[in-house]
Amino acid sequence: MAKYLLKRSAQILVTLFVFLTLVFFIVNAQPGDVSNFYALNPDVPPETRERLQDLFGVNEPLWKQYLVHIRNTFTGNFGVSFSHYPRSVADVIMERLPRTVVLFMTATALSFYLGFALGKVLAWRRGGWFEYTSTVGGVTLYTVFTPWFGLMMIWLFAFKAGWLPIGKFLDPVLWREAPIDANTVFNQMILTAFVVSIVVFAVFVITGQRRMGNARITRIASIVLASLAVVGVWFSSGTAVYAWDIVRHMVLPVVTLTLISFAGTMLLTRNSMLETMREDFVMAARAKGLTERAVRDKHVARNALLPVVTSFIFSLAFAVDGGVITESIFSWPGMGQTLVSATLTEDLPLAVGAFVFVGIFVLVAHLVADILYAYLDPRIRY
Amino acid sequence: MTSDPVLVVEDLTMHYATRAGPVRAVDGVSFSVERGQSLGLVGESGCGKSSIAMTLLKLLPDNARLVSGSITLNGVDVVPLSENQMREHRWDRISMVFQAAMNSLDPVYRVGDQIIEALEAHSASAPRDAMERVRELFDLVSLDPSYIRRYPHEYSGGMRQRAIIAMALACEPDIIVADEPTTALDVIVQDHILREMQAIQRALNMSMIYISHDMAVIAEVCDVVGVMYAGKLVEFGPTAEVYARPIHPYTKALMSAFPSVRGEKHDLATLPGEPPDLLDPPSGCAFHPRCAYATDECRTSIPPTAKHGDQWATCWNPVADVDSE
Ligand SMILES: Nc1ncnc2c1ncn2[C@@H]1O[C@H](COP(=O)(O)OP(=O)(O)O)[C@@H](O)[C@H]1O
Ligand SMILES: [Mg+2]
């Protein structure tokens, strides 16, 4: 396993290198260069233009610029953003990346959970109204034009019903007098979610290994206790109202994203289940006198899960480039919007930085997928 | 032998509903198995042997219709039982070693856990007792206890088969149905496992139904033999007698079509043709198109089941007529 991890890390470095090279040359294949942003202004005198170009290093030979680009990336120096001057690119991305990752990861996780649960039932109870409604409904949502559906959701739940905010990441009026800034609150929220999932995951693993009779109760209890602890901590710190504001802003985009994508997982799960149901060990599980539920969940669904997990991880990997469309509709200030505005304002350092971050995230997600897969399928050993 | 039947099957008929009509896979089959006895079911493939096995556990596909008959397991007719009630009988009273035994283990769980799963489905024993039982079972089928915590893919074919047998024995069932359990194995492993199964079955005084297409294997393992053709039991009797004096022409043909494991040379009189399509079996005796002794009577009317000494056969023109009643 250690050897495999080492090998894969080396592979990732090589791939990253190729990726960085590609990004560099594609950006440099464009007419003009980074300095144009300042230097093309007719008010800039020629000497200043020269000085600017020297400053940006664009008069250096290409290979030298390339080496500097590589070195800067590996030292985490992405330069300064033009459009957010004087903030550094890394700073802007560190603010935007978590917002996108949290929004899209939540939506992806929910959509897979829903899709898997529905697909499981669908494969088990073939025929009948349930299969009909969920297939037709799911596929309709899956193929619907996303901007239209997003706007309809906003119109219905935010505008007409007024239950949820219309867009954006937070409510500026509420935050005007906030003693704490939004990024700090958001990072604390991420940390909380992370700790809670680790705890709950650990409980699930432990109860799963020692087949305890009351595993279910222990699991539910752990979830309830963790939720209570979270509520307690947030309220005692007095920032709960701000966290709640962010959560409220997340609901509509998360629900919309979940609804338009769960059908893919649902149909994948259904097919994977139907294929697994033909396996001999399923008949054997029935013959052992297990309940239908045990046969379905412990044997069929558990084996049918494998291809679904692969697809899940790859969807997660693409969560970082943050659907540009979704972020625009919900005015969600994440990576998607950042990429678009960086391109529109010719903020090349920010665009390059955003690309590089997305690339790194995808590569890491692939590694996580491989490790998770090995954990789920004992036949795979590295 | 004193009569203490563990399983009595009477007039069992099971059809598969297909678009082209019913497939008569099990057609009016009756037999019984005494405690500690092993019954062999033999016949070419497609004769309905696996269908009988699955019917006994009521593990049937959606298109199967249990048309008539009774399956009395330890005095309880399981045919009218609901799925929930039947579940309690499965594995606890009647367990099975599948035809595709190689793939009967779930690849994502440890073999020991899969046996414990069966134990826990039928008794609320403490985890430690269950583990103890798994160790006993591994010992019984000569598997190394270190393999309890291994996954199926780490087992060889023979070991997997032993694990499956251990699993089938887990709840000390009254009867085990073994459907071609060794067909996928190489001859040497097959022979080992066959002998062990027989030894275990005798030692535990358990009943067994052993299904095979191979007369020689049945001769090794079984006390009684039933010969199946086109969903029907065409001959039934003590193994020694059936082998010494087959009554039905099909039994005789089957015997000469297979070489004996003991190496005695038969002239391999091949059996021409194939078993009939059960969607549309031949009129009269289903075997008549392939039978050297067929008469007009065989073509038109179904032969009655008649007693010949200790044997029963369903034939108009028995090849060896012994004090027919
Ligand atoms: N689910 C099913 N639907 C329709 N026909 C089936 C089904 N399962 C088996 N059969 C048919 O039933 C007959 C008996 O099959 P089987 O019991 O497997 O025979 P054997 O085990 O003796 O080879 C075959 O003709 C087979 O094609
Ligand atoms: Mg068969």
Side-chain angles (χ1 to χ4, degrees), chain B residues 44-165:
Chain B
E44 289 159 287
S45 81
C47 283
K49 306 183 298 293
S50 299
S51 299
I52 289 195
M54 300 321 279
T55 312
L56 292 180
L57 274 92
K58 294 221 297 174
L59 277 179
L60 293 168
D62 291 340
N63 67 336
R65 307 274 175 274
L66 232 170
V67 179
S68 69
S70 65
I71 303 168
T72 310
L73 192 60
N74 266 321
V76 182
D77 182 9
V78 298
V79 170
L81 293 190
S82 72
E83 178 62 23
N84 270 331
Q85 292 167 316
M86 188 62 209
R87 195 156 53 230
E88 286 167 19
H89 290 269
R90 285 190 196 129
W91 225 251
D92 202 26
R93 310 238 110 167
I94 180 166
S95 71
M96 183 154 182
V97 177
F98 286 92
Q99 182 160 12
M102 302 298 288
N103 304 320
S104 299
L105 292 166
D106 189 330
V108 306
Y109 295 108
R110 298 174 203 280
V111 172
D113 288 347
Q114 298 191 46
I115 299 179
I116 292 180
E117 185 186 32
L119 286 169
E120 284 180 346
H122 296 287
S123 66
S125 62
R128 199 177 305 144
D129 295 345
M131 203 58 200
E132 197 42 51
R133 177 80 185 129
V134 173
R135 242 179 238 119
E136 265 171 47
L137 289 164
F138 264 58
D139 194 44
L140 197 62
V141 297
S142 333
L143 272 176
D144 189 309
S146 69
Y147 272 77
I148 292 174
R149 286 185 54 76
R150 301 242 185 143
Y151 289 95
H153 71 272
E154 297 172 276
Y155 281 57
S156 70
M159 289 167 73
R160 250 184 259 190
Q161 193 57 286
R162 284 165 203 267
I164 297 278
I165 294 167

Side-chain angles (χ1 to χ4, degrees), chain A residues 79-142:
Chain A
V80 175
S81 160
F82 295 164
S83 52
H84 294 83
Y85 190 81
R87 293 176 67 190
S88 73
V89 167
D91 186 41
V92 175
I93 290 177
M94 275 311 153
E95 174 191 286
R96 300 297 173 79
L97 190 67
R99 297 179 181 179
T100 289
V101 170
V102 167
L103 176 69
F104 282 85
M105 269 198 180
T106 312
T108 312
L110 269 181
S111 125
F112 269 81
Y113 187 81
L114 182 68
F116 188 68
L118 284 174
K120 217 164 70 169
V121 179
L122 226 55
W124 217 248
R125 305 228 163 283
R126 312 257 316 276
W129 65 269
F130 182 76
E131 176 167 30
Y132 185 76
T133 26
S134 44
T135 311
V136 170
V139 172
T140 306
L141 288 170
Y142 195 63

Side-chain angles (χ1 to χ4, degrees), chain B residues 12 17 27 33 48 64 83 99 106 120 131 139 151 170 176 198 218 284 294 296 300 318 321:
Chain B
L12 192 63
D27 198 356
V33 186
E83 178 62 23
Q99 182 160 12
D106 189 330
E120 284 180 346
M131 203 58 200
D139 194 44
Y151 289 95
I176 287 193
Q198 194 179 16
I218 298 280
D296 279 344
T300 51
D321 211 351

Side-chain angles (χ1 to χ4, degrees), chain B residues 237-259:
Chain B
T239 310
E241 266 126 279
V242 172
Y243 276 66
R245 203 180 49 235
I247 297 199
H248 200 286
Y250 180 59
T251 315
K252 193 177 174 195
L254 262 189
M255 281 177 60
S256 42
F258 289 101

Side-chain angles (χ1 to χ4, degrees), chain A residues 210-211 280-281 283-284 286-292 297-299 302-303 306 376-379 381, chain B residues 54 59 87 90-91 98 100 103-109 113-114 116-118 120-122 151 153 167:
Chain A
R210 289 280 120 242
R211 243 177 324 284
D280 299 310
F281 63 78
M283 177 74 85
R286 279 217 179 85
K288 285 202 283 191
L290 304 186
T291 60
E292 278 297 291
D297 293 349
K298 273 192 76 179
H299 294 280
R302 177 64 177 73
N303 278 275
L306 298 171
L376 286 174
D377 187 349
R379 282 165 296 187
R381 278 292 165 263
Chain B
M54 300 321 279
L59 277 179
R87 195 156 53 230
R90 285 190 196 129
W91 225 251
F98 286 92
N103 304 320
S104 299
L105 292 166
D106 189 330
V108 306
Y109 295 108
D113 288 347
Q114 298 191 46
I116 292 180
E117 185 186 32
E120 284 180 346
H122 296 287
Y151 289 95
H153 71 272
M167 188 149 87

